[in-house]
Amino acid sequence: MAGQAGETLPSDWKAISMPILHDDQISKMMFFVRHQNPDDKNGTEGGKKRQTRFILNISLSKIGDMQIDGLFRQGRLDVALRTRNTLTKDMQNDLTQKYAAAMEQTQLAGKILFQTKGWVEPPQTASLKS
């Protein structure tokens, strides 16, 4: 993991493969991050309006594949939660309420969206595909 933390992929994405324990099983979670300026499509230069984009790819036994796509900028954290199958309205309402409570506790603004399409595939290297 330490070696991967500094590995920059094409388009200035950095990738880290991390273990996650869920339901007494260890699985792999892919974490991608890049810093970008809204005016800079490649995210190579920072500035006053610098923002951080991150993507977490997780596979859960009950829900299946999930992607958390977040954008943090100037006190605001917006998240798109993608799943292969639509989450129930009750699950969406519960997650929305918990997200709003977390935003209030951290004094951040932001919203959460639920999607089944639009999965983002950051570039990968051969060492991360295993």
Side-chain angles (χ1 to χ4, degrees):
M1 279 178 33
Q4 291 176 3
E7 186 171 359
T8 301
L9 303 174
S11 301
D12 295 319
W13 284 99
K14 291 189 185 235
I16 303 170
S17 173
M18 297 183 287
I20 182 171
L21 178 63
H22 180 72
D23 288 339
D24 295 327
Q25 292 193 342
I26 295 176
S27 59
K28 181 169 70 171
M29 174 178 71
M30 292 302 301
F31 178 73
F32 300 92
V33 65
R34 88 174 166 187
H35 303 286
Q36 62 192 48
N37 184 319
D39 299 330
D40 178 14
K41 300 289 184 201
N42 293 324
T44 56
E45 294 297 325
K48 291 182 181 177
K49 295 183 180 180
R50 189 171 183 181
Q51 54 192 24
T52 301
R53 174 122 183 245
F54 64 88
I55 296 173
L56 296 171
N57 289 332
I58 307 169
S59 183
L60 302 174
S61 58
K62 295 179 183 175
I63 296 176
D65 291 340
M66 177 183 295
Q67 184 174 74
I68 302 169
D69 184 353
L71 182 65
F72 178 76
R73 62 193 180 281
Q74 296 181 337
R76 182 174 183 86
L77 176 60
D78 293 313
V79 170
L81 180 62
R82 296 186 188 95
T83 53
R84 300 286 181 203
N85 299 309
T86 304
L87 297 176
T88 66
K89 288 293 180 191
D90 286 342
M91 287 179 81
Q92 289 183 22
N93 289 338
D94 187 43
L95 288 169
T96 300
Q97 290 174 358
K98 288 179 179 180
Y99 189 80
M103 292 296 97
E104 186 175 323
Q105 286 179 348
T106 57
Q107 299 180 346
L108 294 173
K111 61 182 176 180
I112 186 169
L113 302 173
F114 301 94
Q115 302 175 335
T116 56
K117 296 179 181 177
W119 287 67
V120 177
E121 298 295 333
Q124 296 186 21
T125 65
S127 65
L128 295 173
K129 291 181 181 179
S130 58

